[in-house]
Amino acid sequence: MDFFAPASWAEALETKAARPDAVPISGGTDVMVELNFDLRRPSALMDLGRIRELRDWDVVGGTVHLGAAVPYARIISDLADRLPALAMAARTVGSPQIRNRATVGGNLGTASPAGDAHPALLATGAVVQAESFRGVRHIPIDGFFTGVKHSALAPDELIRAVLIPTAAGPQQFSKVGSRGAMVIAVCSFALALDLDAHRVGTGIGSAGPTPLAARTAERFLAGALDWTTLSVPTAAAQRFGELVAEAASPIDDVRGTADYRRHALAVLATRALRWVRTAGNGAHNREPVPA
């Protein structure tokens, strides 16, 4: 196995162009597990840990430009007010040691249907900034995932940043797992409300071959929700949960059955509505309530 450790972003792009087979790593929390269990044996690894600009974030015109190597711990400490759903998801990732190393860029690179960051990115309409020697490409998140652990990235592209709109209203994230911490999601759900545009965003994790958005449910809730009080009739809340469950395409596996995942998603969606009403317009960074 060849190993590369570029010292700059330009060198990383040059290396990836010459060796598109090189698997990029930053925290290594996904790739190293696969290596240790002999589930993957790439011909080359490329460590991006020396590239400083990947570890920075900035706000430009109401959008957070999150470097691909910003760890989850910094999202929790620095961005909970601007990106509440993503910060809630970050709090559920692994252990403190993993949160100090794992990154959203790595989560996207793995493209697992169970990735904890993905529902929040879908709900908020994030855009993945990919780059190669050929130039920069912006990939909307709902077109990024193409299959189980497959993405729209070209072989010579690297993820430089994720562009995420700052919260324009309450957001929520929750997941169901076999225990309270350090667990892969049985299913997960994110909800984001835009109070200015009266727009609803959703994200579903671990309930299909890719992370999903429940578009029919979004349109239904946008029409049923009282945008002044953030209240919704009980029957409409239940219908929203049903539509979220219908958007999923889960399977039976060792973590749960397809029927259970659909049921759990309906429950998570209706609870999210209750939580956003409780949070109101000002408490966007509340701790997630266990499902």
Side-chain angles (χ1 to χ4, degrees):
M1 182 187 297
D2 295 326
F3 182 80
F4 303 97
S8 68
W9 182 242
E11 186 181 346
L13 295 179
E14 181 181 2
T15 302
K16 189 63 170 168
R19 290 293 302 269
D21 57 319
V23 174
I25 60 171
S26 180
T29 57
D30 284 337
V31 173
M32 295 310 298
V33 171
E34 293 179 332
L35 291 177
N36 288 338
F37 283 90
D38 205 23
L39 300 175
R40 188 178 191 183
R41 192 60 55 182
S43 56
L45 291 176
M46 180 167 56
D47 180 12
L48 303 177
R50 298 169 64 191
I51 302 174
R52 181 177 180 82
E53 56 260 48
L54 297 183
R55 303 196 302 272
D56 292 333
W57 64 268
D58 195 9
V59 180
V60 181
T63 298
V64 175
H65 289 227
L66 183 72
V70 175
Y72 283 108
R74 282 192 62 201
I75 293 172
I76 297 168
S77 63
D78 297 355
L79 291 166
D81 57 339
R82 294 181 172 91
L83 306 176
L86 185 60
M88 290 178 189
R91 293 185 185 105
T92 74
V93 173
S95 63
Q97 295 91 334
I98 291 174
R99 292 192 290 273
N100 282 330
R101 294 288 298 172
T103 66
V104 171
N107 218 196
L108 287 167
T110 302
S112 167
D116 289 320
H118 302 156
L121 298 179
L122 280 164
T124 54
V127 173
V128 180
Q129 184 182 68
E131 190 170 349
S132 70
F133 256 8
R134 296 176 289 108
V136 177
R137 191 160 64 106
H138 291 91
I139 309 170
I141 192 66
D142 58 1
F144 181 79
F145 305 104
T146 59
V148 179
K149 295 192 174 182
H150 286 85
S151 74
L153 287 175
D156 63 341
E157 285 182 319
L158 294 170
I159 298 172
R160 178 163 187 162
V162 188
L163 314 183
I164 313 167
T166 56
Q171 299 180 0
Q172 287 294 331
F173 170 87
S174 56
K175 76 179 186 182
V176 172
S178 57
R179 59 184 184 180
M182 296 182 65
V183 65
I184 298 174
V186 174
C187 63
S188 57
F189 178 73
L191 176 67
L193 302 184
D194 186 327
L195 300 181
D196 299 321
H198 288 191
R199 186 168 56 240
V200 177
T202 61
I204 297 170
S206 201
T210 66
L212 303 162
R215 299 303 184 199
T216 300
E218 292 172 0
R219 292 188 291 270
F220 172 81
L221 183 59
L225 187 68
D226 183 325
W227 287 93
T228 301
T229 63
L230 299 183
S231 60
V232 63
T234 300
Q238 292 174 345
R239 181 56 182 157
F240 174 67
E242 292 169 358
L243 290 171
V244 168
E246 290 173 9
S249 54
I251 60 171
D252 297 336
D253 64 14
V254 295
R255 297 198 304 276
T257 66
D259 286 344
Y260 175 74
R261 284 184 162 98
R262 289 191 184 93
H263 169 75
L265 284 169
V267 172
L268 293 182
T270 54
R271 286 182 179 179
L273 286 179
R274 184 171 73 248
W275 291 336
V276 296
R277 185 181 181 187
T278 301
N281 297 343
H284 299 161
N285 61 344
R286 63 182 289 275
E287 292 286 338
V289 179

